[in-house]
């Protein structure tokens, strides 16, 4: 059964690791990789990645990407969202901190941010406007 708009936006707003998929070009399957993301219901999805990463290069070429998240309890649900890139900007340390705090224990965030900011090179924030949704609640097992 498909989720309501409110249910699918709430599920996407939870801190799941997403599967990002983007067109990888002729003769290739889509690039599909796990990624952290940020989303608030009714808003724009954003991800943070390396400026020279394959993800950024492919997303720039395609102009759009999709994310899929799922959960198993209390029921099996998933939501997939696809849309156009609306903005790509240099990442700030504050954005890195925000997305890291979404996924890491509080006592690990500052150390991870320090390491990542120094070691991962230039990063960008890519914002996507969700315009196609696919979702379902498959019930409980």
């Amino acid at each position: 059964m498909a989720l309501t708009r409110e249910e699918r936006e709430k599920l996407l707003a939870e801190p799941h690791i997403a599967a990002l998929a983007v067109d990888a070009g002729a003769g290739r399957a889509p690039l599909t990789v796990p990624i952290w993301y940020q989303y608030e219901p009714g808003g724009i999805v954003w991800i943070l990645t390396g400026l020279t990463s394959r993800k950024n290069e492919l997303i720039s070429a395609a102009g759009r990407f999709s994310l899929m998240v799922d959960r198993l309890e209390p029921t099996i649900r998933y939501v997939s969202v696809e849309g156009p890139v609306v903005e790509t900007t240099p990442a700030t340390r504050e954005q890195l901190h925000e997305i890291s705090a979404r996924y890491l224990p509080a006592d690990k965030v500052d150390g991870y941010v320090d390491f990542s900011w120094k070691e991962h090179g230039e990063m960008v924030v890519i914002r996507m406007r969700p315009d196609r949704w696919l979702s379902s609640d498959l019930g409980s097992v």
Side-chain angles (χ1 to χ4, degrees):
M1 171 175 269
L3 302 177
T4 66
R5 179 181 179 158
E6 180 179 281
E7 290 170 329
R8 71 186 187 203
E9 289 186 351
K10 182 180 177 187
L11 179 61
L12 188 62
E14 295 171 0
H16 302 283
I17 305 293
L20 178 145
V22 62
D23 182 16
R28 299 286 308 262
L31 172 71
T32 306
V33 294
I35 195 162
W36 292 351
Y37 69 95
Q38 182 63 288
Y39 175 74
E40 292 183 17
I44 299 294
V45 173
W46 64 269
I47 62 168
L48 192 147
T49 192
L51 175 65
T52 61
S53 70
R54 186 156 184 249
K55 289 187 295 287
N56 187 40
E57 291 171 1
L58 292 174
I59 291 169
S60 294
R64 63 189 306 112
F65 64 95
S66 64
L67 294 177
M68 191 282 301
V69 299
D70 65 346
R71 66 142 209 240
L72 301 177
E73 293 183 4
T75 61
I76 301 169
R77 287 186 169 188
Y78 71 87
V79 63
S80 177
V81 62
E82 170 192 350
V85 172
V86 295
E87 183 178 48
T88 301
T89 57
T92 66
R93 188 178 176 96
E94 290 75 24
Q95 289 165 323
L96 176 59
H97 191 278
E98 178 183 341
I99 205 161
S100 299
R102 178 171 160 88
Y103 291 96
L104 297 175
D107 64 331
K108 302 293 183 189
V109 173
D110 289 339
Y112 175 79
V113 169
D114 288 343
F115 168 79
S116 183
W117 194 250
K118 291 175 190 169
E119 301 297 326
H120 289 157
E122 290 184 71
M123 293 178 273
V124 293
V125 169
I126 304 170
R127 291 179 175 80
M128 178 257 282
R129 183 184 70 249
D131 68 0
R132 295 186 184 187
W133 295 77
L134 180 63
S135 62
S136 186
D137 187 325
L138 304 173
S140 56
V141 187

